Amino acid sequence: MVITVEIRKMYKYPFELVVNIHLNKYPTPLEEHVTGIKTVEEKTDNISGIIYRRKIATCNNVIPKFLRKISFLNVNNVHIEEESWLDMKQRILNIKSRCLTWAQYSTFHEVSVFKQSVENPNWTEFHQKGSIVVTGAGKLNRLCEVFAQAFFNKGVKKSVNIMETILEQRCGRPFL
């Protein structure tokens, strides 16, 4: 079964501020489970000006102990790869994320887009869609997917709250 999560959010802050916060928000005391971020590749296309980045996030494994009895789930850290393409001319940031740790047992993908709002040029539209399918846990695949769905729904909301908190701390009240 495919589990999907989707969110749309309008940040009432300019594109540059929102993108800068997103690209630099972790690690933060607001999210104890992201313990590190390493940029492993960064390059700028000389013609288009698009900045490509590939980062690896190290996160605490939040899988409950009873599910860690499945041997491949019993790891201390989870690694997430994030690839991003920032086009300042078009004012759009495209992001693709995937889990590296359990790639042979599950498929986890997120696609996110930040872009300048057509409604107000001082606002930024955010759209994220993610999916997960567990294939390597045998009879427990569905149980793992149910946990993943609850975790990702909560995680998406928490990530948006972190963005809003950092934006307000650094930039003040939203632009209206």
Side-chain angles (χ1 to χ4, degrees), residues 81-144:
E81 177 185 67
E82 178 183 277
E83 292 181 285
S84 66
W85 296 263
L86 175 58
D87 185 338
M88 290 303 289
K89 291 177 190 170
Q90 298 294 319
R91 303 180 64 71
I92 188 165
L93 173 65
N94 290 296
I95 303 166
K96 289 184 182 179
S97 303
R98 68 186 184 107
C99 180
L100 300 174
T101 303
W102 295 306
Q104 68 187 73
Y105 305 104
S106 65
T107 304
F108 160 74
H109 294 283
E110 276 183 355
V111 176
S112 306
V113 177
F114 290 90
K115 64 181 181 177
Q116 181 175 308
S117 170
V118 293
E119 184 180 335
N120 183 328
N122 285 321
W123 295 354
T124 305
E125 297 174 22
F126 172 63
H127 179 228
Q128 183 179 64
K129 188 171 187 176
S131 66
I132 187 166
V133 178
V134 178
T135 56
K139 294 178 181 179
L140 297 175
N141 285 349
R142 181 68 183 126
L143 180 62
C144 292

